[in-house]
Amino acid sequence: MSHDLRKFQKASQVVHAGQSVDPTTGSVAPPLYQTSTFAFETAAQGAARFAGTEPGFIYTRMGNPTIQRLEEAVTALEGGAAGFATSSGMAALNTILFAFLKSGDHLVGTDCVYGPSRVVVERDWARFGVTSTFVDTAKPSAIEAAIRPETKIVFIETPANPTVSLTDLAAASRAAKSAGALLVVDNTFASPILQRPIEFGADVVMHSMTKFINGHTDIVAGMVVAATMELSKKIRPAFNYLGPCMDPHQAWLALRGLRTLSLRMNASQDNAIKLAAFLERHPKVEWVRYPGLESHPQYALAQAQMDGPGALISFEVKGGIEAGRILLDNVELMTLAVSLGGVETLIQHPSSMTHAAMSQPERIKAGITDGLVRLSVGCEDVRDLIADLEHALSLV
Ligand SMILES: *Cc1c(COP(=O)(O)O)cnc(C)c1O
């Protein structure tokens, strides 16, 4: 559909990925095919499409030209073979699990993954006989120790949610491969601008495109990218029958958001670097965790596997949960909301919000202390963001 983008820089790739001039009208913006079904010219053509002997669209749950542009775009950016756009990030995760797991199988995962990702595995997939062990995958030895003969998936989130701790992708890939398991990576926090897990041996990458890829806080969406066509063939039937597809209009908006991914990610990251340094110097701040700070325990790993430290910061105000509450209630420019990766700066309290479904001991074990505050830094002028935090912290 589009020309080979690999020779271009990432900023050029996001502007052009999945974009080719519409052959019928010359439209530069991608056409929105808001349709559920596609007519066949003849009965023979319909049969050939179903048999897979002729390319072409059949029904939007299985494929649609607007959605396909988005799938091709994210697949190209991740360096994968095929992509499956889904209605949400959770739909992306469940599609992967539906494609590759059966009763009796085991999954090893990062303990501080996005809260619902862990809950759905431990509570819902467990009802179908899937067992799991969530460990601190920042230590590669912990992955090896948790792997069992029946382990089929190693599920990594790096940087992870909300502790911003990292996992060594190459080491995780070696551990998974030696056990015959697949390495699945949630790349939502970094986006393909900053990290491409397939380069380090990931088999499947997933995104909540609700976050950085769309970036405008106006849709919920997800993506599954398979590293090889062989893996894609296993995902295809799961995708068609589970029915996690997105709406064409959602795809159209995500494509529009994607065009500025590089600009937004770089602006947010520049702001985050400055805000993290500001917080680290502030006398009322207990600790700050950000992969761009030398104080981050995995600063060297961030430099080795990421093209930048990203836009997520976690920190704790001295005085724990109560002090954090005062901070959250007194920011003015920052918005008190869950989610992340949009143009606006969001601030939230994981232990009472995104990670409230985990038990407190589980949270503490995963590094999610009661006072931890998570900041998703947006594209505002950093001077305003610093002034906002300065003022809210003065009231603590
Ligand atoms: C938000 C998020 C998800 C879930 O995505 P939805 O689009 O909300 O379904 C999964 N993983 C990470 C890292 C997230 O931030």
Side-chain angles (χ1 to χ4, degrees):
M1 206 170 196
S2 50
H3 35 239
D4 183 8
L5 291 169
R6 276 170 298 189
K7 64 181 181 210
F8 300 115
Q9 303 297 321
K10 283 282 169 245
S12 309
Q13 289 183 13
V14 293
V15 173
H16 292 280
Q19 192 199 43
S20 52
V21 171
D22 173 37
T24 34
T25 62
S27 168
V28 173
L32 170 53
Y33 289 94
Q34 190 73 43
T35 183
S36 59
T37 194
F38 298 85
F40 310 125
E41 280 168 19
T42 61
Q45 185 186 57
R49 293 231 178 129
F50 270 92
T53 52
E54 183 196 294
F57 296 98
I58 299 173
Y59 184 61
T60 285
R61 194 182 73 243
M62 291 134 77
N64 170 290
T66 309
I67 298 172
Q68 188 182 61
R69 281 173 183 261
L70 178 63
E71 290 170 337
E72 288 177 355
V74 179
T75 301
L77 294 169
E78 288 288 358
F84 300 85
T86 56
S87 57
S88 69
M90 288 307 294
L93 173 62
N94 283 307
T95 301
I96 297 166
L97 303 181
F98 192 65
F100 294 108
L101 296 181
K102 62 178 186 328
S103 177
D105 289 346
H106 176 249
L107 173 149
V108 174
T110 302
D111 55 2
C112 49
V113 284
Y114 180 69
S117 298
R118 181 162 171 178
V119 172
V120 78
V121 171
E122 289 186 325
R123 189 187 63 193
D124 299 298
W125 284 91
R127 292 188 287 121
F128 303 101
V130 171
T131 56
S132 57
T133 313
F134 284 86
V135 294
D136 178 8
T137 58
K139 300 187 203 90
S141 60
I143 304 177
E144 283 160 31
I147 283 177
R148 301 183 197 158
E150 62 274 21
T151 304
K152 292 289 156 57
I153 285 182
V154 174
F155 174 50
I156 300 297
E157 189 177 302
T158 179
N161 203 327
T163 57
V164 213
S165 66
L166 308 187
T167 297
D168 183 330
L169 288 169
S173 164
R174 283 193 297 275
K177 294 228 153 60
S178 68
L182 295 176
L183 178 64
V184 175
V185 178
D186 184 334
N187 201 29
T188 298
F189 267 37
S191 91
I193 296 294
L194 301 182
Q195 175 174 276
R196 289 154 307 276
I198 291 171
E199 289 173 3
F200 297 91
D203 298 294
V204 182
V205 172
M206 64 159 277
H207 278 280
S208 168
M209 297 198 299
T210 313
K211 317 297 168 54
F212 288 102
I213 290 183
N214 180 62
H216 291 75
T217 326
D218 49 11
I219 57 163
V220 170
M223 182 69 75
V224 177
V225 178
T228 65
M229 280 318 286
E230 200 187 335
L231 289 163
S232 153
K233 283 193 189 118
K234 298 209 171 113
I235 298 168
R236 170 56 67 192
F239 180 81
N240 285 351
Y241 291 99
L242 188 64
C245 73
M246 63 167 51
D247 181 80
H249 185 238
Q250 208 181 354
W252 189 87
L253 282 168
L255 266 172
R256 176 160 134 157
L258 177 70
R259 299 283 170 245
T260 54
L261 173 62
S262 177
L263 282 172
R264 288 184 284 103
M265 189 47 115
N266 287 319
S268 296
Q269 176 173 267
D270 288 347
N271 285 349
I273 290 168
K274 293 186 183 121
L275 273 184
F278 161 79
L279 286 168
E280 196 165 53
R281 281 193 308 267
H282 201 287
K284 288 194 179 162
V285 173
E286 184 80 46
W287 55 262
V288 184
R289 182 102 33 87
Y290 178 63
L293 291 174
E294 280 179 45
S295 59
H296 191 289
Q298 295 154 300
Y299 179 71
L301 177 61
Q303 305 242 302
Q305 82 183 13
M306 299 178 74
D307 291 341
L312 271 299
I313 300 172
S314 68
F315 66 101
E316 187 159 335
V317 183
K318 283 183 186 153
I321 188 161
E322 191 45 34
R325 195 189 57 73
I326 297 171
L327 175 81
L328 293 185
D329 283 341
N330 285 286
V331 287
E332 184 193 350
L333 181 61
M334 297 182 180
T335 305
L336 175 56
V338 300
S339 194
L340 57 103
V343 289
E344 60 288 283
T345 298
L346 300 182
I347 192 163
Q348 71 118 345
H349 178 236
S351 72
S352 71
M353 297 173 185
T354 44
H355 292 69
M358 282 167 77
S359 70
Q360 200 225 25
E362 264 173 1
R363 279 199 302 268
I364 300 295
K365 225 174 132 218
I368 308 164
T369 54
D370 286 343
L372 184 150
V373 171
R374 190 189 74 187
L375 206 54
S376 170
V377 182
C379 300
E380 298 94 337
D381 189 309
V382 74
R383 290 169 295 189
D384 295 326
L385 295 174
I386 288 176
D388 200 18
L389 280 182
E390 185 95 81
H391 174 252
L393 283 168
S394 74
L395 302 172
V396 169

